[in-house]
């Protein structure tokens, strides 16, 4: 877009500004920097300052008051601390840290303070909200009831996620945690769910990758990325999840639905540890400060499903936590596991063996998602969970025995095939009807006669066959949402056509 | 003024309370101000105060020689207490703390006028009169020269700054122009 402005007009605008400019006295409450280092400034004065208030250093560097002490104030600097010198004047703003919210942030990349960092125009919204607010109360909430489809078979079948739920994604590095989160965002296309991806302490190149992926799948239209990368000061990394949450809450409060991903909270905890130690707060276990649990619990409590009287909006949170060598009993993982409504466990061994997504179905749970699961899926996946559990038990045992009876063998073969259909490619999300179809095929023995290496081909063919008009099954299941005999019959017809023979269910 | 040491505040408070009781506040404040000035003018004294490697007897004797009979009896007893507790090193901080407490009790508010050039006493009087309307306490204003203000002045009362300098005006104008 070309700017339609002539130089003479600019001059006249500026002249007008100049002539309108009145001399005014600028009043501010100030303090003096006593010491500064590692992103923390200790300031003398500022007697009336509030905890959490924003202050400005010379050069318009922002800071947030974290410690109020007898004779000085501890301030986290949101910027380069080498611009701040001893003796500098620090001004109060009178505002508690807040951030612009609304539709203007959609499709943008912003930093922890809500400034655009994607090279686009500055974000202008009429509304701004406090970054730290209390989570909704008990009466304001409702049960988690509606499903939030991730498009990933294994999650939607075994650990379903409901709108307003908090489901932890946990695993070692390089096990596909971020991929699950990104796929979930991609799958929200057309679902009217606003997505927020908060990148904490990641490489900038990784954030670009995420952005490009989302853009490629058209997901940036309804997504905002909040980025506090590894090179940003620790206070920014500490604040980013709260900023993202505040932006997402705007939708929850206005009766809409939002999804937020915190990638990852381990890094946020580390940033907060750094901040706390520099503020001389006493260290506890693993040198984390005493309020590290509260740091995460108050953040995740803000994810909620609101009651119909409050608009019925929802905010679903998918926090990510990285473990070291599968150790889930470390401090941060145990904390976050206990806060969330379930967890999706990813394992490096499973990942390297080619079973991807590398979710361990045995220890992954969803405490509230069951109520929200699509009924048809619940009916189909019920037996799936059982069969997978039996398979795991037998698989370990079968390694020792050479001779197995026919029943056990059949169960093992079934298990192998079920594990095959649990596999799913990156960014290949599936609508719930198709997920149900393949699981129905697996649990009802349609795959038993197929060689294992043909199972995935069959899966592809099934999806293609389902898409063929008149799409009887898909329309039926989407309308009824349960596996009635009618739906089953429609699906059986497609499957029998594909296998080329009449099938006896077992 | 900034006081870093918590201990200094406690010692100062004790001395302040005693002085208040015996009604010797002004004379003790005078003593402490003189000591502070002395320490400022004679860095050797500061060094001596902090040097506990000297034999205690020598220190006591020297302290007595410097201070006794020149200052209030209570002040001298206070210094001897500090010596006994090996806290002479924070005497300067104590002096500042004491002065702050005294000012606070009298409702004195310290202010500062910053200007790019030396103001005429008449101008300072005008500013002081203006400043007096902004606060209820007794004002004690000091002046500082800072050419970077370009023009106008800056008035600081406690933690509040009234910025009527040309530099600040230009800055605001600049921001306004950018945002057009």
């Amino acid at each position: 877009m070309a700017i339609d402005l002539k130089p003479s007009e600019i001059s006249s605008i500026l002249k007008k500004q100049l002539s309108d400019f009145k001399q005014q006295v600028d009043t501010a409450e100030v303090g003096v920097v006593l010491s500064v280092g590692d992103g923390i400034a200790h300031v003398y004065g500022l007697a009336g300052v509030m905890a959490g208030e924003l202050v400005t250093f010379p050069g318009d560097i922002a800071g947030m008051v974290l410690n109020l002490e007898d004779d000085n104030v501890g301030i986290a600097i949101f910027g380069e601390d080498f611009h701040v010198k001893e003796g500098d004047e620090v001004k109060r703003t009178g505002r508690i840290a807040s951030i612009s919210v609304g539709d203007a942030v959609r499709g943008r990349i912003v930093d922890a303070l809500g400034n655009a960092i994607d090279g686009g125009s500055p974000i202008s919204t009429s509304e701004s909200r406090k970054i730290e607010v209390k989570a909704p109360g008990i009466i304001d909430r409702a049960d988690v009831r509606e499903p939030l489809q991730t498009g990933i078979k294994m999650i939607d079948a075994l650990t379903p996620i409901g709108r307003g739920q908090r489901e932890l994604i946990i695993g070692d590095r390089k096990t596909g945690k971020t991929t699950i989160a990104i796929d979930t965002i991609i799958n929200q296309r057309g679902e009217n769910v606003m997505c927020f991806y908060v990148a904490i302490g990641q490489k900038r190149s990784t954030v670009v990758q995420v952005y490009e992926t989302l853009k490629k799948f058209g997901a940036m239209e309804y997504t905002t990325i909040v980025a506090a990368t590894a090179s940003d000061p620790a206070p920014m990394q500490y604040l980013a999840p709260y900023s993202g949450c505040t932006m997402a809450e705007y939708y929850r409060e206005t009766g809409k639905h939002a999804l937020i991903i915190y990638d990852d909270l381990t890094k946020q905890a580390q940033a907060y540890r750094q901040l706390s130690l520099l503020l001389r707060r006493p260290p506890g276990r693993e040198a984390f400060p005493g309020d590290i649990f509260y740091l995460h619990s108050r953040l995740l409590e803000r994810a909620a499903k609101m009651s119909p009287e409050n608009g019925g909006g929802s905010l679903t949170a998918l926090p990510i936590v990285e473990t070291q060598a599968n150790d889930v009993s470390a401090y941060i993982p145990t904390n976050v596991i206990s806060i969330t409504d379930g967890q999706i466990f990813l394992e490096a061994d499973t990942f390297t063996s080619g079973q991807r997504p590398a979710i361990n179905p045995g220890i992954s749970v969803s405490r509230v998602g069951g109520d929200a699961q699509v009924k048809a899926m619940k009916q189909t996946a019920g037996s799936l969970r059982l069969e997978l559990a039996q398979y795991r038990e037998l698989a370990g045992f079968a390694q020792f025995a050479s001779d197995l009876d026919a029943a056990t063998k059949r169960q093992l073969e079934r298990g192998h095939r079920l594990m095959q259909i649990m596999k799913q490619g990156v960014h290949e999300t599936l609508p719930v009807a198709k997920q149900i179809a393949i699981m129905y095929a697996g649990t009802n023995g349609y795959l038993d006669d197929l060689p294992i290496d043909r199972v995935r081909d069959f899966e592809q063919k099934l999806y293609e066959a389902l898409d063929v008009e008149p799409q009887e099954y898909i329309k039926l299941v989407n309308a009824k949402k349960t596996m009635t005999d009618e739906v089953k019959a429609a699906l059986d017809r497609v499957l029998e056509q594909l296998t080329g023979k009449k099938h006896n269910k077992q | 003024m900034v006081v870093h040491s918590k201990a200094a505040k406690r010692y100062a408070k004790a001395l302040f309370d005693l002085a208040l009781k015996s009604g010797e506040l002004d004379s003790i404040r005078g003593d402490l101000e003189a000591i502070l000035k002395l320490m400022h003018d004679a860095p050797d004294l500061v060094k001596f105060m902090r040097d506990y490697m000297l034999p205690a007897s020598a220190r006591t004797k020297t302290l007595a020689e410097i201070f006794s009979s020149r200052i209030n009896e209570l002040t001298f007893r206070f210094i001897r207490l500090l010596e006994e507790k090996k806290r002479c090193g924070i005497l300067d901080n104590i002096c500042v703390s004491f002065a702050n407490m005294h000012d606070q009790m009298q409702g004195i508010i310290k202010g500062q006028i910053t200007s790019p050039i030396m103001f005429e006493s008449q101008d300072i009087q005008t500013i002081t009169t203006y400043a007096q309307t902004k606060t209820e306490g007794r004002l004690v204003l000091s002046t500082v020269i800072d050419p970077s203000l370009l023009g106008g002045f800056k008035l600081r009362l406690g933690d509040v700054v009234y910025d009527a300098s040309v530099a600040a005006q230009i800055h605001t104008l600049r921001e306004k122009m950018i945002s057009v």
Side-chain angles (χ1 to χ4, degrees):
Chain A
M1 194 176 69
I3 299 170
D4 188 24
L5 254 184
K6 292 183 193 79
S8 60
E9 282 179 54
I10 295 178
S11 315
S12 71
I13 291 173
L14 294 184
K15 265 183 211 154
K16 189 171 171 294
Q17 283 288 319
L18 256 177
S19 57
D20 286 352
F21 192 76
K22 289 189 205 79
Q23 186 174 356
Q24 50 197 5
V25 180
D26 185 26
T27 315
E29 224 172 293
V30 297
V32 179
V33 175
L34 288 179
S35 66
V36 60
D38 306 303
I40 300 289
H42 290 275
V43 172
Y44 175 76
L46 289 175
V49 81
M50 301 174 279
E53 183 175 331
L54 284 181
V55 294
T56 47
F57 290 91
D60 284 335
I61 300 169
M64 189 168 95
V65 176
L66 286 178
N67 261 17
L68 296 175
E69 278 168 45
D70 191 17
D71 51 358
N72 75 77
V73 181
I75 297 176
I77 304 171
F78 295 126
E80 307 294 351
D81 63 6
F82 53 78
H83 295 302
V84 180
K85 299 185 299 295
E86 186 194 344
D88 273 354
E89 224 169 55
V90 188
K91 280 189 191 163
R92 273 187 67 179
T93 62
R95 283 183 294 123
I96 298 287
S98 55
I99 194 165
S100 343
V101 297
D103 277 337
V105 296
R106 204 197 294 180
R108 306 296 301 269
I109 307 180
V110 298
D111 68 7
L113 296 173
N115 306 312
I117 49 171
D118 51 5
S121 57
I123 289 165
S124 59
T125 53
S126 52
E127 205 177 342
S128 74
R129 291 182 176 209
K130 283 181 187 164
I131 287 178
E132 287 267 12
V133 292
K134 266 180 85 178
I138 297 165
I139 304 299
D140 304 331
R141 295 179 186 238
D143 272 1
V144 173
R145 291 211 169 277
E146 303 146 78
L148 183 116
Q149 297 294 342
T150 61
I152 299 164
K153 283 176 280 186
M154 207 159 185
I155 296 176
D156 288 343
L158 301 176
T159 50
I161 299 171
R163 289 186 178 174
Q165 191 181 345
R166 302 150 308 162
E167 181 85 0
L168 170 68
I169 303 172
I170 186 170
D172 278 9
R173 63 191 176 80
K174 299 301 284 172
T175 50
K177 301 184 296 295
T178 304
T179 310
I180 286 184
I182 298 300
D183 283 358
T184 309
I185 292 182
I186 292 173
N187 200 49
Q188 301 314 310
R189 198 177 163 73
E191 297 281 328
N192 234 339
V193 176
M194 290 302 142
C195 299
F196 292 83
Y197 178 81
V198 185
I200 310 149
Q202 296 185 25
K203 294 189 288 271
R204 294 206 161 161
S205 57
T206 318
V207 180
V208 170
Q209 265 176 22
V210 168
Y211 174 71
E212 292 296 337
T213 312
L214 291 175
K215 211 163 96 181
K216 198 171 100 191
F217 287 91
M220 271 317 282
E221 288 164 25
Y222 52 87
T223 306
T224 305
I225 296 179
V226 183
T229 54
S231 57
D232 286 323
M236 298 280 248
Q237 296 184 35
Y238 149 69
L239 205 63
Y242 297 100
S243 310
C245 192
T246 304
M247 288 189 252
E249 265 175 343
Y250 169 79
Y251 293 101
R252 188 196 69 198
E253 297 294 319
T254 48
K256 296 181 187 126
H257 301 282
L259 164 73
I260 187 162
I261 285 151
Y262 305 112
D263 193 1
D264 63 74
L265 289 187
T266 328
K267 299 248 171 52
Q268 193 221 3
Q270 282 164 359
Y272 187 59
R273 168 169 67 186
Q274 177 186 335
L275 210 60
S276 298
L277 291 174
L278 290 168
L279 284 166
R280 290 160 201 271
R281 292 182 185 169
R285 181 174 161 191
E286 291 176 28
F288 287 109
D291 62 343
I292 194 78
F293 186 88
Y294 184 52
L295 174 83
H296 289 147
S297 63
R298 73 170 188 265
L299 172 70
L300 292 168
E301 269 301 296
R302 288 164 70 176
K305 167 77 188 157
M306 306 302 284
S307 67
E309 298 82 55
N310 286 294
S314 74
L315 172 58
T316 313
L318 295 182
I320 293 179
V321 162
E322 187 180 293
T323 53
Q324 303 290 329
N326 260 335
D327 179 17
V328 291
S329 55
Y331 196 20
I332 303 302
T334 43
N335 276 356
V336 185
I337 285 173
S338 72
I339 296 165
T340 49
D341 308 310
Q343 65 272 353
I344 295 167
F345 249 101
L346 299 172
E347 283 180 339
D349 290 348
T350 321
F351 188 85
T352 44
S353 72
Q355 180 71 39
R356 299 176 198 178
I359 299 168
N360 180 331
I363 42 178
S364 299
V365 292
S366 172
R367 285 176 206 140
V368 296
D371 294 341
Q373 201 171 20
V374 177
K375 192 128 184 279
M377 176 63 102
K378 207 171 183 176
Q379 288 164 332
T380 319
S383 53
L384 178 76
R385 175 182 289 280
L386 192 71
E387 290 199 46
L388 278 177
Q390 283 171 342
Y391 164 71
R392 270 199 312 280
E393 198 180 311
L394 281 178
F397 166 71
Q399 287 178 344
F400 300 104
S402 51
D403 288 333
L404 295 166
D405 62 83
T408 317
K409 245 184 195 158
R410 205 172 57 235
Q411 216 160 31
L412 271 176
E413 291 295 314
R414 172 75 63 90
H416 278 314
R417 280 161 184 78
L418 289 178
M419 288 310 278
Q420 283 298 313
I421 61 168
M422 284 297 134
K423 286 185 183 174
Q424 196 167 351
V426 175
H427 310 321
E428 291 172 9
T429 59
L430 282 175
V432 67
K434 287 185 180 174
Q435 294 185 18
I436 294 170
I438 186 67
M439 272 163 220
Y440 180 85
T443 49
N444 286 296
Y446 279 100
L447 309 175
D448 289 358
D449 298 334
L450 277 174
I452 288 197
D453 52 1
R454 295 273 318 281
V455 171
R456 299 211 66 197
D457 286 342
F458 178 84
E459 192 181 341
Q460 280 313 317
K461 279 190 197 131
L462 172 63
Y463 297 152
E464 284 161 23
L466 288 173
D467 279 334
V468 172
E469 291 294 338
Q471 299 191 335
E472 193 189 357
Y473 157 74
I474 290 191
K475 281 175 188 158
L476 268 173
V477 79
N478 283 342
K480 296 218 178 312
K481 305 266 183 217
T482 54
M483 288 304 266
T484 56
D485 288 340
E486 194 187 353
V487 178
K488 281 184 189 165
L491 185 53
D492 282 332
R493 275 199 293 282
V494 180
L495 285 167
E496 276 164 12
Q497 204 177 17
L498 218 55
T499 48
K501 59 183 174 195
K502 192 96 179 110
H503 184 76
N504 292 323
K505 281 184 211 167
Q506 39 191 304
Chain B
M1 270 296 276
V2 186
V3 178
H4 292 282
S5 158
K6 277 190 181 155
K9 279 191 178 169
R10 300 223 165 101
Y11 277 100
K13 180 88 171 71
L15 181 61
F16 186 81
D17 287 348
L18 272 181
L20 188 64
K21 221 179 193 176
S22 61
E24 292 171 305
L25 267 177
D26 289 323
S27 105
I28 288 174
R29 170 142 192 203
D31 283 348
L32 292 181
E33 267 171 8
I35 292 171
L36 195 62
K37 188 168 178 304
L38 192 65
M39 287 173 92
H40 188 261
D41 294 344
D44 278 354
L45 179 60
V46 181
K47 243 188 237 167
F48 164 76
M49 287 290 213
R50 294 194 174 154
D51 186 2
Y52 279 95
M53 298 299 280
L54 294 171
S57 55
R59 279 184 61 95
T60 322
K61 216 169 130 195
T62 319
L63 279 175
E65 264 176 46
I66 300 172
F67 293 117
S68 96
S69 75
R70 285 176 216 203
I71 52 175
N72 190 304
E73 171 62 21
L74 180 59
T75 321
F76 185 55
R77 282 212 312 268
F78 179 69
I79 290 175
R80 284 201 340 239
L81 172 79
L82 285 183
E83 171 61 18
E84 205 171 285
K85 302 279 184 198
K86 302 199 170 172
R87 284 287 200 178
C88 276
I90 58 169
L91 184 57
D92 46 354
N93 269 330
I94 294 173
C95 295
V96 175
S97 240
F98 189 92
N100 285 347
M101 280 175 206
H102 195 203
D103 285 349
Q104 207 178 357
M105 193 193 76
Q106 295 174 304
I108 289 179
I109 291 171
K110 280 192 184 157
Q112 198 179 50
I113 302 170
T114 316
S115 54
I117 49 160
M118 192 59 154
F119 275 167
E120 305 279 326
S121 60
Q122 197 185 333
D123 296 331
I124 291 178
Q125 193 51 51
T126 318
I127 297 172
T128 315
T129 321
Y130 168 77
Q132 197 63 65
T133 63
K134 293 280 173 193
T135 171
E136 290 185 347
R138 249 172 62 207
L139 268 181
V140 176
L141 289 176
S142 58
T143 52
V144 176
I145 307 287
D146 179 3
S148 73
L149 292 187
L150 302 175
F153 67 94
K154 213 158 117 179
L155 172 68
R156 180 176 175 147
L157 299 174
D159 272 349
V160 185
V161 167
Y162 301 88
D163 199 339
S165 69
V166 172
Q169 308 275 331
I170 292 176
H171 182 73
T172 330
L173 184 60
R174 188 187 132 83
E175 303 235 308
K176 270 198 161 175
M177 292 253 181
I178 291 173
S179 65
V180 169

